[in-house]
Amino acid sequence: MGMPPFVGVEKRCLFRLVLNLIAAVLVVSALGSHVDADCLPPIQMPEAFPNLTFVEPIFLTAPADGSDRIFVVEKLGTIQVFPNDPTVTESTTFFSIDEGLSTSGGEQGLLGLACDPDYANNGYFYINYTASSSTCTDTSLRCTKVVRHR
């Protein structure tokens, strides 16, 4: 299972964030649909890894193995890995699926990654992808596959 979504954020900051979000929801609810966008504070979304770029990234996770690494799944069939450090400048390819992957169409390609609960010891991870029709039971259709790798 991956790391929590706010890796490296102190608990007190998360608590404040949650309280601010609850307060914002209450304010919006009290005002109804008559909220003037100019009255709300701007939302700041700083880039987590400003020195890296990815090709059609769809998912980010971190294994619970103590390595403090981040994995980014790219729709076209690769999984990039890099240290969980905002100053990192390079990622490396952790995994690539070349054969049997269908990327034509909107919701197709390499779609997900999950690390085995015992990943730290066994190294197993699972990928979810859209397979080309030639690798499916019914070759007239595309199918989704979940496959275990090490």
Side-chain angles (χ1 to χ4, degrees), residues 9-113:
V9 177
E10 294 181 31
K11 286 183 181 180
R12 68 180 175 79
C13 293
L14 282 177
F15 183 71
R16 279 186 177 163
L17 175 64
V18 170
L19 285 179
N20 286 334
L21 287 173
I22 291 170
V25 168
L26 292 173
V27 167
V28 170
S29 296
L31 295 174
S33 61
H34 305 291
V35 176
D36 185 356
D38 294 335
C39 296
L40 297 176
I43 297 174
Q44 296 186 9
M45 296 176 47
E47 281 190 66
F49 304 100
N51 301 315
L52 297 178
T53 57
F54 302 99
V55 178
E56 296 191 56
I58 60 155
F59 185 69
L60 180 143
T61 190
D65 65 352
S67 67
D68 204 25
R69 297 178 296 167
I70 301 287
F71 293 109
V72 173
V73 175
E74 296 177 316
K75 181 180 169 185
L76 298 179
T78 57
I79 299 172
Q80 300 296 325
V81 63
F82 54 92
N84 185 9
D85 175 354
T87 65
V88 66
T89 58
E90 288 185 22
S91 65
T92 57
T93 300
F94 172 78
F95 179 81
S96 180
I97 181 170
D98 299 319
E99 292 185 31
L101 179 71
S102 175
T103 58
S104 61
E107 298 294 325
Q108 296 183 39
L110 182 56
L111 302 174
L113 165 69

